[in-house]
Amino acid sequence: MNPTLRLGLLGLAVTLSACSVLDSDKIDYKSAQRGSSLEVPPDLTQLSTDTRYVVQGGSTSAAAYEAGRAQQAKAGVTAAPKAVGDVHIERDGNQRWLVVARSPDELWSPVRDFWLEHGFTLEIDQPKLGIMETDWAENRAKIPQDVVRRTIGKMFDSLYSTGLRDKFRTRLERRADGGTDIYITHKGMEEVYTNAQKDNTVWQPRAADPELETEFIRRLMVRLGVSEEQAKAAATAAPQAAPAAAKLANVNGMQVIQMDEDFDHAWRRVGLSLDRTGFTVEDRDRAQGTYFVRYVTPTDKKEPGFFSKLFGSSSNAAAPEKYRITVRSNAKQSTVSVLRSDGSAETSANIERILRILADDLK
């Protein structure tokens, strides 16, 4: 073979292989289309019948946001940036969150705009509750950019999929000093084959990705006025010692979770676990150490697919039940209990199941 031709073919092969390498630092989210949205696992729920969890006027899209921002620009509407020094990261083990010297009311709009700018649609947008949550979205940057993809990808973009979907929940909690703690938690789904023939797939939950949470915390810092260099340095600082493990225990005939931590640490970690595991938090009362949540009992009946249930109804779906998750502390010891909606104690399969879900995540 002609040496020149051989070198040319070798170079082409190297180029093609290099083009298939994923750019792990790039984020390019695209919200799932209505026909391919996902649902939460069958034992956790977020009911659309509760109007407190419905965005007024429908879901908010990035396109609508851009159109509104263009109109504001024409009208000369601008917002003065806040001081750079009022945003920093705090850490507890591998968990990170933002502390901002502004009230939740001041921060709600810029945080909301942040998610819209990144291509997400908000399914939950509740300032009074301090929670916003995106829909399921795909990170298109993880699709290999080979020759064929670059050539026809724009025409047949829907033919390409990573088989992964991500959802992010943001919680804003007012601090005693008037500032705000901002928590970002990730939930993931992956498409897997159900048989050896690989002719059928289902969507199932996958582990939360702390690196994605950290990346969006870093980007939100920049959105709130911190420089790229400062945000990167803060987000990549060496991790602190891991938080104390949580364990299931039996106290006075009731199963509880015990944590070797004070109230502040325990309250924060339980809140993050509720966000990450997908519980619907209807309200919270930090002074009383109580989260008010909803839970759906799993059934033995076959559940509909993750794509279909969101747009259909199932007569087999169990009614949600309400519970109180309480955090009680004594110095450096905290106990997490699950109570009925009226605050009464009870031992049941549901309560034990909720405790196991939380204990597994808190570990």
Side-chain angles (χ1 to χ4, degrees), residues 246-265:
K247 62 180 180 181
L248 288 171
N250 193 291
V251 177
N252 299 325
M254 282 187 57
Q255 193 170 36
V256 298
I257 299 173
Q258 291 183 334
M259 305 169 67
D260 294 329
E261 295 182 299
D262 60 22
F263 177 80
D264 288 341
H265 287 79

Side-chain angles (χ1 to χ4, degrees), residues 126-141:
Q126 295 297 320
K128 292 184 179 179
L129 192 59
I131 292 178
M132 63 181 74
E133 186 171 274
T134 71
D135 63 346
W136 291 105
E138 180 181 31
N139 187 359
R140 306 294 289 177

Side-chain angles (χ1 to χ4, degrees), residues 54-70:
V54 177
V55 180
Q56 297 300 318
S59 297
T60 304
S61 67
Y65 163 77
E66 291 294 342
R69 190 168 66 169

Side-chain angles (χ1 to χ4, degrees), residues 26-31 115 118-120 136-142 164-168 186 206 212 216:
K26 186 178 179 183
I27 287 179
D28 180 19
Y29 275 95
K30 179 179 181 181
S31 291
W115 289 111
H118 278 82
F120 290 94
W136 291 105
E138 180 181 31
N139 187 359
R140 306 294 289 177
K142 290 188 175 182
L164 302 174
R165 296 293 185 272
D166 299 310
K167 178 193 287 278
F168 296 90
H186 164 258
R206 77 179 199 274
L212 271 177
F216 275 108

Side-chain angles (χ1 to χ4, degrees), residues 206-341:
R206 77 179 199 274
D209 188 338
E211 292 185 3
L212 271 177
E213 294 173 351
T214 300
E215 175 60 18
F216 275 108
I217 285 175
R218 184 193 68 78
R219 292 183 177 218
L220 181 56
M221 288 186 74
V222 175
R223 180 65 171 78
L224 295 176
V226 177
S227 70
E228 287 277 0
E229 293 76 13
Q230 289 174 318
K232 185 175 181 180
T236 57
Q240 299 175 346
K247 62 180 180 181
L248 288 171
N250 193 291
V251 177
N252 299 325
M254 282 187 57
Q255 193 170 36
V256 298
I257 299 173
Q258 291 183 334
M259 305 169 67
D260 294 329
E261 295 182 299
D262 60 22
F263 177 80
D264 288 341
H265 287 79
W267 173 262
R268 178 169 56 250
R269 290 185 62 201
V270 170
L272 286 168
S273 290
L274 291 172
D275 290 339
R276 192 174 287 119
T277 51
F279 282 90
T280 297
V281 179
E282 290 190 322
D283 204 352
R284 61 181 180 269
D285 185 344
R286 181 186 173 92
Q288 298 297 321
T290 303
Y291 290 95
F292 301 86
V293 304
R294 285 200 308 251
Y295 177 79
V296 170
T297 307
T299 66
D300 294 331
K301 299 177 181 179
K302 185 177 180 181
E303 297 288 341
F306 283 105
F307 286 119
S308 60
K309 186 178 177 183
L310 190 61
F311 303 105
S313 59
S314 172
S315 58
N316 297 330
E321 295 187 51
K322 297 184 179 183
Y323 295 92
R324 297 185 184 187
I325 296 177
T326 64
V327 181
R328 299 287 184 264
S329 301
N330 181 11
K332 296 294 184 180
Q333 299 285 331
S334 296
T335 301
V336 180
S337 306
V338 180
L339 307 175
R340 301 293 300 179
S341 60

